Structures are given as C-alpha cells and as structure tokens.
Amino acid sequence: MDADENIRVTLLDVPEGNVRGFVSAYDMAEGDGTRLAHATLFIDGPPKITFTAPLESWKENLSRQWQIMELFAKTINELDSARNKRR
C-alpha cells in the first residue's frame, strides 16, 4: 500500500487564521476514493479529527482500511510533534 495514494497532506504556506493545514485519509480501492477521515491542523493547538468512514463495508476491506487509518494517525502525530517542537 502506498501512503501517498491514501494519505493527502496539505500544509499552507501562509496559515489561514490559526489553520496551518489538512490531512485526509482515502480508501482508493473503493472506486474514485472513499474518504475515511480528515484532520484540520492548527498553529496553536491539537488537530481536530473527523471520521467519515463508510457505514457499510466488507470484511475483506477492514484490514486495508485499518492500515490506512494507522498511516493517517502516524502522519498526524508526526506533523503535530513538529508543531510542538517549534513552540
């Protein structure tokens, strides 16, 4: 599984208010991509995370979707750690 295919990171060159970027997780095996989760990254606080996982899935998809969510969590933790180091 390629993280770049499933995890999209947008860091703003110039923050918009206190928002410094976004991270989204997609299951690209589901047609044109099903969004599983989204995080808004802030300059002065922890990320706000929302989950938009499909209400229905197949057991064959669970392992892949779990791996995507682990990559999502790892990405958010790395970006938030970097924010905390700059403070």
Side-chain angles (χ1 to χ4, degrees):
M1 174 185 323
D2 181 57
D4 293 333
E5 178 180 310
N6 297 294
I7 306 298
R8 296 184 188 152
V9 177
T10 303
L11 295 177
L12 304 173
D13 292 332
V14 177
E16 294 179 13
N18 68 340
V19 175
R20 67 183 182 101
F22 306 96
V23 179
S24 295
Y26 292 89
D27 184 354
M28 298 308 290
E30 298 291 321
D32 59 353
T34 298
R35 189 163 84 172
L36 301 175
H38 178 79
T40 301
L41 307 173
F42 297 100
I43 294 171
D44 57 356
K48 178 183 175 188
I49 301 167
T50 57
F51 298 96
T52 53
L55 295 177
E56 294 182 358
S57 191
W58 300 98
K59 68 178 185 172
E60 295 82 12
N61 298 342
L62 292 178
S63 177
R64 180 185 65 252
Q65 291 171 347
W66 188 263
Q67 289 175 1
I68 294 167
M69 293 305 295
E70 286 177 333
L71 287 170
F72 176 75
K74 179 182 174 187
T75 302
I76 291 171
N77 287 333
E78 289 171 354
L79 292 168
D80 199 44
S81 291
R83 176 190 62 87
N84 288 330
K85 288 179 184 176
R86 286 192 304 266
R87 296 178 88 199

